[in-house]
Structures are given as C-alpha cells and as structure tokens.
C-alpha cells in the first residue's frame, strides 16, 4: 500500500488490514506444521518396535531379478503417464515439445514428492506460461488426469471390496463411489449442456471481452470430449497405468518372497493412493509406510516384513520420479540460459 493511499486510513483500520493479510499466511503455515506432525506420527507408528538389523536384512534379501522387473514396471508406468498427458495436450491442440513435456511432468512430480503440498500441478502449468492463452487448456488436462485416476481408483476399490472387507481398514466404497458418480454426472452435464449455457451467459455482457474470449476458446477446445475416438486413448492409457501399478506391487511381493496375490497388491495400491492424497510431509514417508504396512497386515504378514515391503516400494516409486525431476530442471536451465 502506498503512502498516499494510507494517509486517510485510521491507525486501528491499518492494524485490522494487516491482520487480514497475515492471517491466511499464518493459517497456511500452521496447517503445514500440523500436516508434517501428522505425517511424523504415522512414521513413528510404522517403525515403532522395528529391529533395524532385521529391516536391513530384509531389504538385502530381495531377489535382484524380480526387483529389476519391479523397477522396470515403475518406469513403464511413468512412461504411460507422460504419454497420457501428451494425448490430452494434443486433444486440446496445445503444442509441447518432448523436452518440455518431460521437464514439466517430472519437475511437477518431484515437487509433489519433496514438498508437503500439492504444488506440482501448478509447476506443470507454469512451464506453459510463455503461451498464456493455453493455460486453461493445460489446467484442464491435469483435471482430466485426476478424474481418470479417480475413476480407476473407484473401480479398484469396488473390486477389492468384493474380495475382502475394507470396513476395518478404510471404508473406501462408502464415500469413493458416490463421489465418482457425482463428478461423472457433473462432467457429462458440462460436456452436453456447457456450451449452450455459456452462449446464454456471454450475451449478458457481465465480463470483460478478454475473459469472454478466453472462455470462448476454452469451451471450443473442450469439444473433443464429445468424440469417443479421442477419449478412448487416455482411457486405455489409464487402464494400463493402473494395471502396471498393480503389477509393480505384485512383482515386489515376488522379490521379497511374500506369498501374496492380486487382492493384496490391489489393496496396497488403493490404501497408499488414498493415504498420500493429503501430502502430509516431505517425501510422504510416514503416510506411505503406514498405509502400505496396514494393507498387508490382513493377509498375515508380520509387521517387520510389512515395513520392509513399504520401505522398498517407497524407494522404487519415488527415486525415478525425483531423478526425472532433476533431469527436467537441468534441461529447463539449459533452455533458459541458451
């Protein structure tokens, strides 16, 4: 606030304004601290009573061949995820080179892993800041990614709930299915009736012409959602992504000598995915260990075996994304400095 603008403001008024400005930052910092503490509590609960020599011995006992296949499945899953995003960008006619696509995706993933917040998606959008007209379309691709993953999570949740009761662990079906149905109906309504509704709104002239132009472009760009042939590839890739993530858990069972099947692999996938959503702490170590561990306990796996599995799984799914983020930053730095 400039000196000229503050002269007519009473002293007590300035104080109240300052409080209003600082309060959101204070609340955000407080929530961040609380989230980290919650994540740390989950980490303590996960490793409480663990004998470290047994943990190290369990990790060393992993079969190298099966472990290599597990890592390969993680890399394949990342490839499918980037490919799906490329398809969505192409459907919105957003031009993205392979280097920009790689850098934006993996830097965003690394941010989500390292920081206790969900800022990675904003970072991805920021890689297209030099073309501001495309930002609504880029944001839409990320929203559609989240919706497709939610749909896949719901399908997995229903499948697992038919083979094992989730009530004593995390009753996914009770809230996940209604949420997915609601969002699906809202998306279908937006696709079918959104353009005609927007045509009525824009005639009211209640928004600046520039905003109207952006929304016009965005509404037109979303017309591809009415074409089943263009929708099919992202859906197929989503099926492949979740199939590979499920396979990753199954392969790691083999590597660690755990005699578990597809139901256990699916339960690990569901609980870890849901458990990581709040992004409680850097690296999500505590929530990851906690939910991966409790997913195995109903199948008779002792706590020390379960924590070995959680530690190895966390390492092989996060390190490739972090490495990709580092490479993406290097590529971005070279592009900016050239």
């Amino acid at each position: 606030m400039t000196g000229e603008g503050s002269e007519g403001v009473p002293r007590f008024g300035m104080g109240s304004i300052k409080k209003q400005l600082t309060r959101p930052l204070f609340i955000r910092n407080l929530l961040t601290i609380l989230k980290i503490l919650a994540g740390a509590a989950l980490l303590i609960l996960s490793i409480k009573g663990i004998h470290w020599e047994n943990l190290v011995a369990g990790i060393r006992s992993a079969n190298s061949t099966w472990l290599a296949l597990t890592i390969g499945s993680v890399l394949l899953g990342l490839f499918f995820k980037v490919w799906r995003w490329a398809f969505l960008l192409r459907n919105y006619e957003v031009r993205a080179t392979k280097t920009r696509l790689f850098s934006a995706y993996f830097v965003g993933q690394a941010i989500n892993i390292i920081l206790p917040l969900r800022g990675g998606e904003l970072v991805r959008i920021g890689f297209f800041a030099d073309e501001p007209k495309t930002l609504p379309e880029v944001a839409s691709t990320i929203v559609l990614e989240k919706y497709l993953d939610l749909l896949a999570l719901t399908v997995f949740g229903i499948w697992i709930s038919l083979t094992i009761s989730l009530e004593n662990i995390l009753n996914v079906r009770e809230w996940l299915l209604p949420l997915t149905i609601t969002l699906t109906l809202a998306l279908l309504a937006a696709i079918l009736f959104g353009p005609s509704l927007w045509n009525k709104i824009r005639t009211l002239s209640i928004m600046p012409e520039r905003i109207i132009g952006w929304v016009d472009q965005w509404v037109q760009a979303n017309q591809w959602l009415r074409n089943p042939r263009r929708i099919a590839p992202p859906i197929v890739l989503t099926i492949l992504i979740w199939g590979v993530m499920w396979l990753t858990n199954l392969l790691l069972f083999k590597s660690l000598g755990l005699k578990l099947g597809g139901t256990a692999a699916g339960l690990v996938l569901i609980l870890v995915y849901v458990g990581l959503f709040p992004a409680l702490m850097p690296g999500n170590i505590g929530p990851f260990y906690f939910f991966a561990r409790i997913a195995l306990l109903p199948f008779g796996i002792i706590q020390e075996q379960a924590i070995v599995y959680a530690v190895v799984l966390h390492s092989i799914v996060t390190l490739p994304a972090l490495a990709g983020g580092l490479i993406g930053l290097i590529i971005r730095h070279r592009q900016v400095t050239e």
Side-chain angles (χ1 to χ4, degrees), residues 44-98:
I44 293 172
L45 287 174
S46 301
I47 63 177
K48 184 179 180 180
I50 297 296
H51 295 89
W52 296 104
E53 61 273 12
N54 294 339
L55 175 63
V56 174
I59 294 173
R60 289 180 175 177
S61 68
N63 182 284
S64 57
T65 302
W66 285 109
L67 186 61
L69 290 174
T70 307
I71 296 172
S73 69
V74 171
L75 297 177
L76 180 62
L78 289 172
F79 171 76
F80 284 146
K81 289 177 181 179
V82 176
W83 193 7
R84 180 180 64 177
W85 190 35
F87 257 111
L88 292 172
L89 289 171
R90 190 181 309 165
N91 283 342
Y92 277 103
E93 299 182 357
V94 176
R95 293 177 298 175
T97 62
K98 292 180 180 179

Side-chain angles (χ1 to χ4, degrees), residues 48-334:
K48 184 179 180 180
I50 297 296
H51 295 89
W52 296 104
E53 61 273 12
N54 294 339
L55 175 63
V56 174
I59 294 173
R60 289 180 175 177
S61 68
N63 182 284
S64 57
T65 302
W66 285 109
L67 186 61
L69 290 174
T70 307
I71 296 172
S73 69
V74 171
L75 297 177
L76 180 62
L78 289 172
F79 171 76
F80 284 146
K81 289 177 181 179
V82 176
W83 193 7
R84 180 180 64 177
W85 190 35
F87 257 111
L88 292 172
L89 289 171
R90 190 181 309 165
N91 283 342
Y92 277 103
E93 299 182 357
V94 176
R95 293 177 298 175
T97 62
K98 292 180 180 179
T99 54
R100 174 182 285 191
L101 194 70
F102 179 93
S103 299
Y105 185 84
F106 281 102
V107 171
Q109 290 294 305
I111 292 295
N112 280 340
I113 293 171
I114 294 172
L115 300 180
L117 45 85
R118 289 293 177 186
E121 283 69 29
L122 295 178
V123 171
R124 273 208 272 173
I125 296 172
F127 270 78
F128 295 83
D130 56 338
E131 300 177 21
K133 290 184 177 180
T134 67
L135 295 183
E137 286 83 357
V138 177
S140 297
T141 64
I142 296 174
V143 171
L144 286 173
E145 273 185 358
K146 303 305 178 185
Y147 168 74
L148 290 172
D149 287 335
L150 177 65
L151 196 62
L153 177 66
T154 303
V155 172
F156 259 92
I158 293 173
W159 168 50
I160 296 301
S161 67
L162 294 175
T163 57
I164 183 174
S165 175
L166 301 181
E167 292 182 1
N168 296 326
I169 306 171
L170 185 64
N171 200 346
V172 175
R173 189 168 58 175
E174 290 299 322
W175 63 269
L176 191 58
L177 184 58
L179 174 62
T180 304
I181 292 174
T182 302
L183 291 178
T184 300
L185 292 176
L187 179 61
L188 290 175
I191 294 171
L192 296 175
F193 308 112
S196 59
L197 179 62
W198 168 244
N199 286 334
K200 294 179 181 179
I201 294 175
R202 72 186 307 279
T203 58
L204 300 177
S205 301
I206 58 177
M207 289 183 290
E209 288 295 328
R210 182 179 179 184
I211 300 298
I212 291 176
W214 272 31
V215 178
D216 281 340
Q217 176 185 331
W218 181 74
V219 170
Q220 185 61 35
N222 279 284
Q223 293 299 311
W224 71 269
L225 289 167
R226 298 186 175 195
N227 187 342
R229 291 185 178 180
R230 300 179 72 180
I231 294 175
I235 293 176
V236 171
L237 285 169
T238 300
I239 295 172
L240 292 173
I241 289 167
W242 280 76
V244 168
M245 290 194 297
W246 172 80
L247 179 63
T248 297
N249 295 337
L250 205 57
L251 291 172
L252 189 56
F253 290 157
K254 296 287 187 181
S255 177
L256 295 176
L258 302 177
K259 297 180 179 180
L260 298 173
T263 301
L267 187 58
V268 170
L269 178 56
I270 292 171
L271 294 189
V272 169
Y273 193 91
V274 174
L276 296 189
F277 183 76
L280 294 179
M281 64 187 303
N284 279 315
I285 296 176
F288 196 108
Y289 289 3
F290 180 80
F291 286 101
R293 180 181 62 86
I294 66 171
L296 298 183
L297 297 182
F299 300 94
I301 302 301
I302 63 174
Q303 182 170 333
E304 289 195 347
Q305 288 178 316
I307 197 64
V308 168
Y309 179 86
V311 170
V312 177
L313 181 62
H314 181 265
S315 299
I316 63 177
V317 299
T318 57
L319 292 179
L322 290 175
L326 178 60
I327 295 171
L329 284 175
I330 295 172
I331 293 173
R332 183 66 173 174
H333 177 72
R334 288 180 177 178

Side-chain angles (χ1 to χ4, degrees), residues 12-32:
F12 69 87
M14 286 296 295
S16 62
I17 291 174
K18 288 180 180 179
K19 287 182 180 179
Q20 292 175 0
L21 291 176
T22 57
R23 188 177 299 159
L25 179 60
F26 169 76
I27 293 175
R28 288 199 300 270
N29 291 337
L30 178 61
L31 288 176
T32 299

